[in-house]
Amino acid sequence: QVQLVESGGGSVQAGGSLRLSCAYSGYAYNRKCMAWFRQAPGKEREGVASFSVGAGSTGTGYADSVKGRFAISQDNVKNTMYLQMNSLKPEDTAMYYCAARSAWGYDCIGTMTATPESFAYWGQGTQVTVSS
């Protein structure tokens, strides 16, 4: 059974940084995509960053709104995925979710276009609040 548990959210002033963590278990696929999504009140859930493993290659993807500010990474030894968020803006305020699926795809690399519907596994979310 796949389990994803996020942590690291909190409140920060604009320009500050936070690092989110997603500890996962029961998730072992040769081809996969793991991602961070976020959802602000009254808005749809949107992709933020993704990490994809395909046929002998890996890649990352980012939403245009976070490119150059956020960085996704993975530690296979600790079974943990991270999202380093720098230069935070008030518009980054949202609940952040970790997600995973067993399929690799071009929607998980470059400009992230992967949709929530394509992910089978989700964490419970961690709140990020950025004040101006």
Side-chain angles (χ1 to χ4, degrees):
Q1 182 179 0
V2 177
Q3 289 189 324
L4 307 173
V5 179
E6 302 97 332
S7 61
S11 297
V12 65
Q13 289 190 329
S17 298
L18 282 173
R19 188 176 80 157
L20 305 183
S21 299
C22 172
Y24 55 90
S25 60
Y27 179 65
Y29 297 98
N30 290 330
R31 300 188 182 195
K32 60 185 179 184
C33 175
M34 297 190 70
W36 290 95
F37 286 81
R38 66 186 181 187
Q39 188 167 20
K43 294 188 176 181
E44 293 185 351
R45 192 168 295 190
E46 64 175 357
V48 176
S50 54
F51 179 91
S52 185
V53 179
S57 65
T58 61
T60 57
Y62 296 94
D64 287 339
S65 59
V66 305
K67 281 182 179 177
R69 299 189 299 123
F70 291 10
I72 189 171
S73 61
Q74 186 184 33
D75 186 327
N76 286 326
V77 174
K78 296 182 178 179
N79 284 352
T80 302
M81 181 176 67
Y82 302 98
L83 183 67
Q84 178 67 44
M85 304 185 295
N86 300 324
S87 302
L88 283 162
K89 304 176 181 180
E91 51 263 43
D92 294 319
T93 296
M95 184 72 78
Y96 282 71
Y97 297 90
C98 171
R101 72 188 193 197
S102 60
W104 174 89
Y106 287 106
D107 57 349
C108 281
I109 60 175
T111 296
M112 180 188 175
T113 58
T115 61
E117 293 75 18
S118 67
F119 287 81
Y121 310 108
W122 291 88
Q124 81 289 350
T126 185
Q127 178 69 37
V128 172
T129 302
V130 184
S131 59
S132 58

